[in-house]
Amino acid sequence: MDDIKIRDYIINNFKEDDVDTIRSAIDESIKEGDEVTLPGMGVFFEIIWNESTDDEKNKILETLKKRFQNKSSN
């Protein structure tokens, strides 16, 4: 139940924002590296995933796999 409230809160926070504001929020969240923003980023990812085609999902998965492999070798 709390997860749905978090999702709704995050979606409602951004529903009136333009693309630049959303991009800025994402960039700032990543730049800060603050774990408090992880739930919001998770909601963003969930939306992207649910709206993606199978080809887009495969591209996302390949990107993640490459990044994970690069991180493990450093």
Side-chain angles (χ1 to χ4, degrees):
M1 186 82 165
D2 286 337
D3 290 340
I4 293 171
K5 290 179 186 176
I6 290 170
R7 282 183 185 92
D8 290 343
Y9 175 78
I10 291 165
I11 290 168
N12 285 329
N13 253 3
F14 288 94
K15 71 179 180 181
E16 301 294 326
D17 291 343
D18 61 19
V19 172
D20 291 334
T21 303
I22 296 168
R23 182 184 185 115
S24 178
I26 292 169
D27 287 342
E28 190 64 28
S29 175
I30 292 169
K31 179 182 165 191
E32 289 180 9
D34 188 356
E35 303 228 354
V36 171
T37 62
L38 286 176
M41 298 299 284
V43 171
F44 283 12
F45 183 78
E46 180 181 51
I47 291 167
I48 291 167
W49 187 261
N50 287 336
E51 297 294 323
S52 295
T53 65
D54 285 341
D55 286 341
E56 291 166 334
K57 287 178 181 179
N58 287 332
K59 174 70 174 153
I60 292 167
L61 292 169
E62 287 300 319
T63 299
L64 290 170
K65 180 181 175 188
K66 285 179 189 175
R67 185 65 176 145
F68 295 152
Q69 290 173 339
N70 288 341
K71 275 292 192 188
S72 66
S73 65
N74 289 337

